[in-house]
Amino acid sequence: MKRKIVLSLILCLAVTFAACSKTEKKNNKQDINLTQNQEGVTFTDSLGRELTVSKADRVVTLLGSFCDEWMAAGGSVVGTASDTFTSYDFVFDESVANTGSNLHPDVETIINLEPDLVIASSKLDGQVEIKETLENAGIIVAYFNVDNFDDYSKTMEIFTTITKRDDLYKQNVTDVSNQIEAAKSQIDGRKPKVLFIRAAASSVKVKTSTGTVGGEILKDLDTVNIADSNKSLEDLSMEAILLEDPDYIFVTVQGSDVDKALENVNKLLISNPAWNLLTAVKNNNYYVLDKMLYNSKPNAKWGEAYKKLADIIYPKN
């Protein structure tokens, strides 16, 4: 009798688990409302608009990382932003047009390319501002925002559905997710305090745990970002940094002038005599991170990005 009860409980738990798994997958689908029928692929973009893409032979991407992601999904482009040409290793023929900077896209060039689809960023005002102009020209513009791996996986789900390349979703999302879980298995429960800085030629800013790739990864690796609870750090107050005394300090660079960006960090922080009093500095835990992994979107390299930080924060014996 007891054995029957135990078996019944196991079956109930199995059914409940399966139901939860289905619900979780369903909820993920509901976020983007992804469906496919004879009319094409319908989804909700990051501006909350429902769009249907019936053809994607001529695609323009207004951000280098979106070009990288679209091509990883099996797509091709007829035009892309200038940072694609300078920051990525793609070899394009002369037919692929430069659509200008990601901050100020060249609308005339985009329209003249007669794209079926334009892939744009909802975080950049200059790209959102041209939405109406492109739509009036009969062009479908889909906006996305990728700050973390979950955002990336949903975007890739849309892209690979459009390109009909489920195999590339597995390669660039499912397999990468497994790499991330392996990196997270190194977490040891210490919850170390971190300071995350993004430097550019014109500014140096402390970033919180949300809204940036590096910040989101650090949060997912169970660290405590000291900027989340201390607004004084927004002004790069050395007094506030000393008070919080982070265990690790990470800097990533935005823009093409890496030397100037790091020079700004040296001028504002490292040259201060109090810098050497920080625990992170004493323990040689100050790191300059690869901007392609921690400022730009790492895309198929999300697993690598997690692994490198996990090895720093939770080194294996």
Side-chain angles (χ1 to χ4, degrees), residues 26-250:
K26 183 179 179 183
N27 285 340
N28 182 55
K29 287 277 190 179
Q30 286 177 339
D31 288 342
I32 54 179
N33 295 312
L34 181 62
T35 59
Q36 187 175 13
N37 52 43
Q38 292 181 343
E39 295 180 1
V41 176
T42 300
F43 58 90
T44 301
D45 74 355
S46 62
L47 294 182
R49 303 172 308 143
E50 186 177 275
L51 302 171
T52 298
V53 174
S54 57
K55 187 180 179 183
D57 297 328
R58 298 183 61 80
V59 173
V60 169
T61 57
L62 302 186
L63 201 62
S65 61
F66 284 156
C67 181
D68 182 46
E69 191 173 350
W70 172 249
M71 293 183 71
S76 61
V77 296
V78 294
T80 187
S82 57
D83 70 315
T84 309
F85 297 92
T86 57
S87 300
Y88 294 84
D89 297 327
F90 298 121
V91 179
F92 297 116
D93 60 36
E94 294 179 356
S95 66
V96 177
N98 186 329
T99 59
S101 75
N102 51 32
L103 296 177
H104 303 288
D106 186 334
V107 177
E108 184 177 355
T109 297
I110 297 169
I111 292 175
N112 287 339
L113 288 170
E114 299 182 343
D116 306 313
L117 172 66
V118 171
I119 297 172
S121 170
S122 59
K123 288 188 74 172
L124 298 176
D125 292 341
Q127 296 192 21
V128 177
E129 288 168 0
I130 65 174
K131 176 175 69 69
E132 187 174 346
T133 302
L134 295 179
E135 288 179 337
N136 287 340
I139 298 170
I140 296 174
V141 191
Y143 286 87
F144 299 95
N145 177 37
V146 176
D147 286 330
N148 52 47
F149 181 74
D150 186 51
D151 294 336
Y152 163 76
S153 66
K154 290 174 182 176
T155 306
M156 278 296 285
E157 187 175 3
I158 293 171
F159 287 178
T160 53
T161 301
I162 293 172
T163 61
K164 300 178 181 178
R165 292 295 303 271
D166 288 345
D167 60 315
L168 292 178
Y169 182 87
K170 179 185 181 303
Q171 175 184 318
N172 294 308
V173 179
T174 306
D175 293 349
V176 173
S177 178
N178 293 334
Q179 295 169 9
I180 291 173
E181 290 307 310
K184 289 168 67 174
S185 71
Q186 296 176 220
I187 295 171
D188 60 14
R190 285 186 290 116
K191 294 186 178 295
K193 294 191 291 184
V194 300
L195 173 64
F196 182 54
I197 297 169
R198 186 170 69 189
S202 58
S203 65
V204 177
K205 296 181 179 180
V206 172
K207 308 304 291 185
T208 64
S209 60
T210 58
T212 61
V213 170
E216 296 274 359
I217 294 175
L218 286 166
K219 177 176 65 175
D220 212 18
L221 287 174
D222 203 32
T223 66
V224 177
N225 188 315
I226 62 175
D228 287 347
S229 58
N230 192 334
K231 297 298 181 183
S232 300
L233 291 166
E234 293 179 3
D235 301 321
L236 283 173
S237 163
M238 181 57 75
E239 183 180 355
I241 296 173
L242 279 169
L243 182 64
E244 297 291 345
D245 197 21
D247 300 299
Y248 296 86
I249 298 173
F250 297 104

